[in-house]
Amino acid sequence: MPNNSKARIEANNRYNAKAYDRINIAIKKGSKAKIQAHAESKGESLNGFIKRAIKETISRDNEMIGK
């Protein structure tokens, strides 16, 4: 696998800063491995699983309040 040049890394970082918001969460030790194992058992990445969980929870909450 080729190494990315410093310029490529900097360009990627600029794009990511412009295109994405970041959310950092803290969970108890050991929880990450459990969540990651569950995500992988469903064929998802950890990030994909968390995004799906958030989307489904917002959708369910909105249905409960009639939005």
Side-chain angles (χ1 to χ4, degrees):
M1 179 197 290
N3 290 331
N4 288 326
S5 69
K6 184 177 178 182
R8 170 60 27 213
I9 292 169
E10 290 173 357
N12 286 345
N13 289 341
R14 282 192 305 274
Y15 174 79
N16 288 337
K18 182 174 63 171
Y20 297 104
D21 287 329
R22 296 193 60 83
I23 300 173
N24 296 312
I25 63 170
I27 56 177
K28 290 189 177 190
K29 285 280 188 186
S31 295
K32 179 182 175 184
K34 291 177 186 176
I35 297 166
Q36 193 161 18
H38 178 80
E40 289 173 1
S41 76
K42 301 296 181 187
E44 294 179 291
S45 67
L46 180 59
N47 192 62
F49 169 73
I50 292 169
K51 290 189 324 184
R52 182 173 62 84
I54 292 168
K55 184 177 178 180
E56 288 180 6
T57 300
I58 290 171
S59 177
R60 186 174 52 244
D61 289 351
N62 286 340
E63 287 176 6
M64 289 176 28
I65 59 173
K67 281 192 171 180

